[in-house]
Structures are given as C-alpha cells and as structure tokens.
Amino acid sequence: MNLPFITHKSESKRDIFLIIAVVLLSSLILYIPFIFNAFSWIGFQVPTQGMLSLYQNFDGLLYIVPAKAWYNPEAIAALRLEQTLPAEYYAAHLPMYPAFIAVFGLLFGYLKAMIVVTLLGAVAMALMFYKLTKDFKLTAAPLILSIVLLFLPRLFVVRSVGAPETLFIFFILSSIFFFEKKSYLLAGYLGGLAAMTKTPGILLFAGYALACFEYYRREHKINWQWLYLLFIPLGLVAVFALYAVQYGDFWAYFNTGGVVPMPYPFSAFNFQAKWVQTAWLEEIVLYLFIYGFAIAQLKDSKQRSLFYFSLVFLVASIFVQHRDLSRYLLPIWPFAAISYEKVLTSKKFVVIALLLLPAIYLYAWNFTLYNVLPISDWRPFL
C-alpha cells in the first residue's frame, strides 16, 4: 500500500530497519534453547552446554585457530589443541573471516566474536541483496524477497553459527553490484576480498570474464578498466603468499588433507567417498534442478554477471564430492531467489512459508545439535 505522505526515502529506511530486525531476532530465537538449556521443551532429550554447544558447530572453531595463531605452525602448536590435526590443515580456512574474528575478539572474546562476525555478515548480506534488487529493479518487492532469502534452511543455520558464508556472499553481492554499475575497481577489490574468504570466490573472475567477452563480441570494444578485475585472482595469490611465509609452502591450501575433492561430474553420488558416506542424497538432485532452472531463467537478464557467475558456480559445484552440497551452493541462492522472485514474493508462497517456519526452526535446532566438533578443553579458543 502506497500512502502519499510516505516517501521512497522513508520506505527504504523502514525496510532497512525491518531487515536488520529480522536477521537478529530470527537468530536470537534460534539461540533461546541454547541460552536456557531448554531443548527438552521442544522434544530433544540431549545434554547441552548452553551456548558452548552452539559454538561447537563445524567449522566455526577451526577458524578461531588462524584468528589466534595466524597460520604459524609454532603458534598453533602452542595452543595445545586436543584435535590431532596438522598445522597445515588450517590453510583450508582462508584468512578473511579469521581476521574479522581477531578484530572483534578484542571486544567480545573469540567465541562470541565468531558469532558476532557471522551476524554482522548476515546483516550486510541481506542489506546488499536488498540494494541490488532495488537499484536494478530486479523485483517489485525487494523487502519481501530479502526476508525470504534469509530463511532458506541451510542458510538460516550458517548465518547463525560460526561460518564464513555470510561474509563471503556479502562480498560476492557487493562485487556484482559494482560490476553492473561499471565500477570495476570496486568490483575487483570486493571480489578479491571474496577470494580471500573462500576459494570459490575466484569463480567471480571467470563469470566476469564471460560477461566481458560477451560485451566484446557485441560491441567490438575493450574497456581497459576490466583490468581492475585482476584483483580477484590477486586476492587468492595474496592468501597463498601468506601461506608461503607462514608454512613455507605456497601451495599449502592444496596439501591440507581437508580440501574437498572434485573428481568428476555429480561425484557427490558415491556413498563410499570420504565426505559423503550415505546413499540418502535425493535432495541434491532437487537442489541441482532448482538452481539449474533458475540459471536458465537468468539467461536473458540485462545484468549479465548474475547469469554468468551463477552458471560458472553451478558447473563447478556439480564436481564437488561432499554430502553437504546444499551449503556449497549457497552463494548462488541469492540469484536463484531473483530468478524466482515472482513466486517467492507471492501471497500464497509467503503464507506457506510462514506455516513452515516452525519446521525451519526444528530443522535448524536438529542440525546444530548434531553437527558439532567434540570439545572437552575450551581453553585454546578463549
């Protein structure tokens, strides 16, 4: 409903406030059974340690190690971790998220900082998505779509525990926003930060290369400002240079033993694989169909980077041999949401989503109680 005394500016301020409130309040509700040790109220008969049980979720604590030791093998050994992991293992956890944990750890302590950074990343991610969809008129209901974005069940979990995904997706959305604004310096810089957060950030560069090539074929012109996009691979080179200094191995990331293999297409469908170990994988087919169809619908988008980045990311993801492929696909969820925006902002969908909200919370509680790193000595993480 449009009221004559409400300006677009005041509407935007209201929307921003609502998005921030939804991000924080929805996660706070998730935390309540942890804070009060009240899982028996919702049917879970499991021993918990309050918020410590939430902090235990993979892979949050593993990012605290580089936040404290900065990939120095001697400093890692000095932490006296009970996990018998080689120092090189932490090279699989790129430095941007740990860097933020280290900064906020000065104020909150490392465990709380891990959650604070995730929540701030979630706020930034949602607001950037709102700005992207509003400025480029990608939906008639950017507020509703931004809120719907937040409640994809797997994203709801990772935006509430220790995880780098919210920061990663924020950098991706910001980079794409500035790419489409033709601010290639900022697009390259933010893309470089994405690559320093998680290695798939390098796929932004591949998506942009395809978008630039399409422009060149159509216009027969080269924009030399595209060279700023080289900051994206340079971001990853900077990470590897850090590893060369700390580990004495430029390629330490590939020698961690923790890098998920990508042996062949659809390799997740192998119950014998190390990171799979189950045959109950039918939802992966559904995810691939949903994302594949969404990308097909983005093919004619005026914002070419949305299509090309999503396409490159999906093609790369089908090689990932991991049970949790729904998490690996999260960076293209915002673009799938844009593709399906008419459905996702419809009254029927919103009503069904609200009816299923208790199921989303039960899924999140069930997952966070199960997906934990066993810890008996918390001292290295304090």
Side-chain angles (χ1 to χ4, degrees), residues 30 41 70 80 134 145 156-157 208 210 215 305 346 370:
L30 181 70
W41 299 354
W70 209 240
R80 300 184 183 279
K134 188 177 178 67
L145 192 63
F156 181 38
V157 171
Y208 291 158
L210 291 172
Y215 176 87
S305 62
S346 68
Y370 177 81

Side-chain angles (χ1 to χ4, degrees), residues 39-302:
F39 277 101
S40 60
W41 299 354
I42 50 178
F44 291 95
Q45 303 301 322
V46 293
T48 61
Q49 304 178 70
M51 285 295 288
L52 290 179
S53 296
L54 187 78
Y55 298 147
Q56 285 179 265
N57 265 254
F58 281 97
D59 294 319
L61 292 176
L62 299 178
Y63 282 93
I64 290 181
V65 175
K68 297 186 77 171
W70 209 240
Y71 306 100
N72 183 310
E74 292 180 0
I76 293 172
L79 292 175
R80 300 184 183 279
L81 299 160
E82 59 187 297
Q83 292 78 27
T84 56
L85 295 170
E88 290 76 14
Y89 180 83
Y90 299 98
H93 302 77
L94 269 61
M96 189 54 61
Y97 181 56
F100 278 94
I101 293 174
V103 171
F104 283 91
L106 299 174
L107 296 174
F108 302 103
Y110 287 94
L111 291 173
K112 290 184 177 68
M114 176 179 68
I115 302 298
V116 168
V117 173
T118 299
L119 290 175
L120 291 177
V123 168
M125 173 193 73
L127 293 179
M128 193 67 241
F129 179 79
Y130 173 80
K131 183 169 180 60
L132 177 71
T133 54
K134 188 177 178 67
D135 282 22
F136 288 106
K137 297 179 172 57
L138 299 175
T139 176
L143 173 62
I144 295 174
L145 192 63
S146 298
I147 292 174
V148 169
L149 175 88
L150 293 166
F151 286 95
L152 183 75
R154 195 66 183 92
L155 180 59
F156 181 38
V157 171
V158 300
R159 71 175 176 86
S160 302
V161 301
E165 272 78 9
T166 58
L167 199 63
F168 183 49
I169 297 172
F170 164 69
F171 286 137
I172 288 172
L173 291 173
S174 301
S175 179
I176 284 177
F177 174 84
F178 286 109
F179 181 87
E180 293 299 333
K181 291 284 189 179
K182 296 181 172 55
S183 298
Y184 299 113
L185 175 59
L186 286 171
Y189 173 71
L190 289 160
L193 294 181
M196 296 173 73
T197 307
K198 289 180 72 71
T199 50
I202 194 67
L203 298 177
L204 270 171
F205 184 72
Y208 291 158
L210 291 172
C212 292
F213 181 69
E214 179 188 285
Y215 176 87
Y216 172 76
R217 287 191 61 187
R218 185 177 66 247
E219 304 293 336
H220 301 289
K221 295 179 182 178
I222 294 176
N223 187 335
W224 293 105
Q225 291 192 38
W226 292 342
L227 290 174
Y228 288 127
L229 301 175
L230 289 171
F231 279 119
I232 300 172
L234 286 176
L236 197 55
V237 170
V239 172
F240 291 170
L242 171 65
Y243 294 165
V245 172
Q246 298 295 71
Y247 290 119
D249 181 5
F250 184 82
W251 305 108
Y253 174 83
F254 300 101
N255 299 318
T256 65
V259 176
V260 176
M262 301 175 66
Y264 50 85
F266 307 113
S267 56
F269 299 105
N270 181 349
F271 72 90
Q272 294 178 311
K274 174 183 177 182
W275 302 101
V276 180
Q277 297 185 352
T278 182
W280 301 100
L281 301 164
E282 63 273 18
E283 79 279 6
I284 290 180
V285 178
L286 182 60
Y287 270 112
L288 293 175
F289 177 82
I290 290 171
Y291 285 121
F293 189 71
I295 293 167
Q297 293 191 117
L298 287 173
K299 185 176 184 298
D300 298 321
S301 171
K302 293 179 181 178

